[in-house]
C-alpha cells in the first residue's frame, strides 16, 4: 500500500518532470527556429518594396542584397527554364531570375494553350509556368522577370499571376518582357505585336514593370548598325503614356554607339 502510494507519487513526479522538459524543449525549438528564420529569411519588411509593382532596386535594397540603388550590383540568372535550370537558379546567389515563357506545342497540332518554360525554338518543357511560379515563390525571394516570345502565352500567364497575386503570394517585383519593335540588323519581322502586348498587360496585370525591347541581331563585324533615333522614338510613342514602371532591355554591345538616343529616351520620364 505504502509502496503503491510512494510509487505512484514518484511516477507522477517523473511524469511532471517529463512533460515539463518536453514543453521546454518545444519552446526552445520554437525560439531557435524563429531566430534561424530571421537569420536565413530576412523577409521583405518594407511593405511598399514587397509588391509586384515595386521597384526592383528598392526591393533588393530592402532585403539587404544590394547596398545602394545601383543596377550594376544586381545579379541575374538567365534562362532558368527547365526543372534542372530552375533548381540551379534557385540554389544560386542570383538576385533575379529571368525565364522564358511560351505556349506548349506552339504552332503545332499539339498546341495546348498552357504556358510552359522554354526558349524558341523549343515549344515543350518539363516545367510549366505554374510549376515555376509555385517553386520560385515558395522557396526564394528572388525577383522575377518573364520573357515572352509569343503573344499567345501572355494572356494565360498574366491570369496565373493575377490569381497568385490575389492570394497574396506575389510579394516581390515582377517584370514582363517582350521584344515589341524591330531593332538593329533584323531583316524580318519577328517582334511581338506591341499594341496587343501592352493592352494585355493593362487589362490583366497592370502591377507589372514593363520591359519592352527591340529585336536585335549581332554578328561581330557584319552589318553592325545600332539602335536609331527612330527606333527609340517609336518606343516612347508606345510606352510614354503608360502608368507602369518601364525598363528597357538593350543589347550591351550596341549601346555605346546609340547612347545619345537612349539618353533622350530615359530623359522622357521620371519613372
Ligand atoms: C504531337 O504529339 C504526338 C503524340 O505525343 C507526337 O507523336 C507528334 O510528333 C506531335 N506532333 C508535333 C508536330 O509535335
Ligand atoms: C497588332 O495587332 C493589332 C490588333 O490586332 C493590329 O491592328 C496591328 O496591325 C498589329 N500590328 C502589327 C505591327 O502587326
Ligand atoms: C561598326 O564597326 C566599325 C569598325 O569596327 C566601328 O568603327 C563602328 O563604330 C561600328 N558601329 C557601331 C554602330 O557599332
Amino acid at each position: 500500500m505504502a509502496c503503491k502510494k510512494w510509487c505512484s507519487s514518484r511516477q507522477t513526479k517523473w511524469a511532471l518532470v517529463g512533460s515539463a522538459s518536453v514543453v521546454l524543449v518545444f519552446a526552445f525549438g520554437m525560439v531557435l527556429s524563429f531566430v534561424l528564420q530571421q537569420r536565413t529569411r530576412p523577409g521583405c519588411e518594407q511593405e511598399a518594396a514587397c509588391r509586384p509593382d515595386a521597384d526592383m532596386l528598392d526591393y533588393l535594397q530592402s532585403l539587404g542584397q544590394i547596398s545602394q540603388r545601383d543596377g550594376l550590383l544586381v545579379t541575374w540568372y538567365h534562362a532558368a527554364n527547365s526543372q534542372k535550370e530552375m533548381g540551379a537558379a534557385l540554389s544560386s546567389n542570383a538576385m533575379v531570375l529571368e525565364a522564358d515563357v511560351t505556349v506548349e506545342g506552339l504552332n503545332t497540332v499539339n498546341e495546348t494553350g498552357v504556358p510552359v518554360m522554354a526558349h524558341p525554338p523549343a515549344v515543350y518543357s518539363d516545367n510549366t509556368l505554374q510549376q515555376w511560379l509555385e517553386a520560385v515563390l515558395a522557396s526564394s525571394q528572388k525577383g522575377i522577370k518573364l520573357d515572352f516570345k509569343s503573344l499567345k502565352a501572355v494572356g494565360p500567364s498574366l491570369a496565373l499571376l493575377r490569381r497568385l497575386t490575389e492570394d497574396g503570394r506575389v510579394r516581390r517585383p515582377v517584370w514582363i518582357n517582350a521584344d515589341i519593335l524591330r531593332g538593329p540588323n533584323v531583316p524580318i519581322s519577328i517582334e511581338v505585336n506591341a499594341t496587343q502586348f501592352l493592352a494585355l498587360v493593362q487589362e490583366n496585370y497592370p502591377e507589372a514593370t514593363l520591359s519592352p525591347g527591340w529585336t536585335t541581331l549581332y554578328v561581330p563585324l557584319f552589318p553592325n548598325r545600332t539602335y536609331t533615333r527612330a527606333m527609340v522614338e517609336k518606343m516612347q510613342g508606345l510606352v510614354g503614356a503608360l502608368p507602369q514602371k518601364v525598363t528597357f532591355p538593350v543589347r550591351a554591345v550596341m549601346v555605346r554607339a546609340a547612347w545619345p538616343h537612349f539618353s533622350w529616351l530615359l530623359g522622357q520620364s521620371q519613372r
Side-chain angles (χ1 to χ4, degrees):
M1 189 74 173
C3 170
K4 201 174 169 192
K5 201 169 180 183
W6 185 81
C7 292
S8 77
S9 80
R10 194 183 152 97
Q11 262 165 11
T12 313
K13 207 153 71 184
W14 278 114
L16 273 174
V17 170
S19 52
S21 51
V22 165
V23 168
L24 266 178
V25 167
F26 183 70
F28 183 70
M30 292 281 283
V31 169
L32 190 69
S33 80
F34 183 70
V35 170
L36 282 179
Q37 225 167 24
Q38 291 274 308
R39 280 260 176 83
T40 57
R41 303 271 304 264
C44 193
E45 278 155 17
Q46 288 156 274
E47 203 47 45
C50 322
R51 298 153 40 124
D53 61 354
D55 181 287
M56 190 69 84
L57 295 179
D58 289 345
Y59 173 71
L60 295 173
Q61 197 175 19
S62 86
L63 291 180
Q65 296 192 357
I66 57 175
S67 54
Q68 47 179 313
R69 295 183 83 263
D70 180 350
L72 290 177
L73 298 172
V74 179
T75 55
W76 294 79
Y77 197 104
H78 186 72
N81 293 336
S82 64
Q83 291 276 351
K84 188 165 168 245
E85 283 291 342
M86 179 185 73
L90 284 173
S91 49
S92 77
N93 290 327
M95 299 170 197
V96 187
L97 303 186
E98 181 266 349
D100 304 290
V101 190
T102 188
V103 164
E104 187 173 38
L106 181 72
N107 299 332
T108 72
V109 291
N110 296 331
E111 186 176 313
T112 62
V114 174
V116 296
M117 311 309 290
H119 190 283
V123 292
Y124 296 102
S125 172
D126 64 357
N127 210 4
T128 66
L129 174 64
Q130 175 149 18
Q131 291 169 325
W132 191 93
L133 285 169
E134 296 282 351
V136 170
L137 293 174
S139 67
S140 82
Q141 295 186 310
K142 298 180 188 304
I144 292 176
K145 178 179 178 225
L146 297 175
D147 291 2
F148 290 90
K149 308 297 178 194
S150 155
L151 188 65
K152 280 184 186 164
V154 178
S157 300
L158 297 181
L160 211 50
L161 276 167
R162 166 98 275 119
R163 266 208 312 281
L164 289 164
T165 301
E166 275 162 14
D167 290 347
R169 300 195 38 208
V170 186
R171 301 189 67 247
R172 66 190 77 190
V174 176
W175 287 12
I176 299 293
N177 161 267
D179 290 339
I180 59 174
L181 288 177
R182 195 191 306 188
N185 309 322
V186 180
I188 53 162
S189 174
I190 49 167
E191 61 274 10
V192 170
N193 184 300
T195 43
Q196 294 187 48
F197 172 73
L198 295 172
L200 279 170
V201 174
Q202 304 312 310
E203 283 160 27
N204 299 292
Y205 203 67
E207 294 93 326
T209 290
L210 283 167
S211 169
W214 298 259
T215 58
T216 60
L217 191 66
Y218 177 70
V219 183
L221 302 181
F222 189 65
N224 68 339
R225 275 174 304 213
T226 183
Y227 299 88
T228 64
R229 179 65 176 241
M231 289 173 190
V232 300
E233 282 179 356
K234 206 163 174 188
M235 185 63 86
Q236 170 63 13
L238 286 169
V239 304
L242 297 178
Q244 282 82 25
K245 293 187 178 65
V246 178
T247 170
F248 300 106
V250 289
R251 194 176 275 259
V253 70
M254 296 177 181
V255 170
R256 185 184 282 268
W259 179 246
H261 307 322
F262 286 116
S263 175
W264 173 84
L265 180 61
L266 296 176
Q268 300 306 302
S269 168
Q270 289 305 307
R271 282 174 287 161

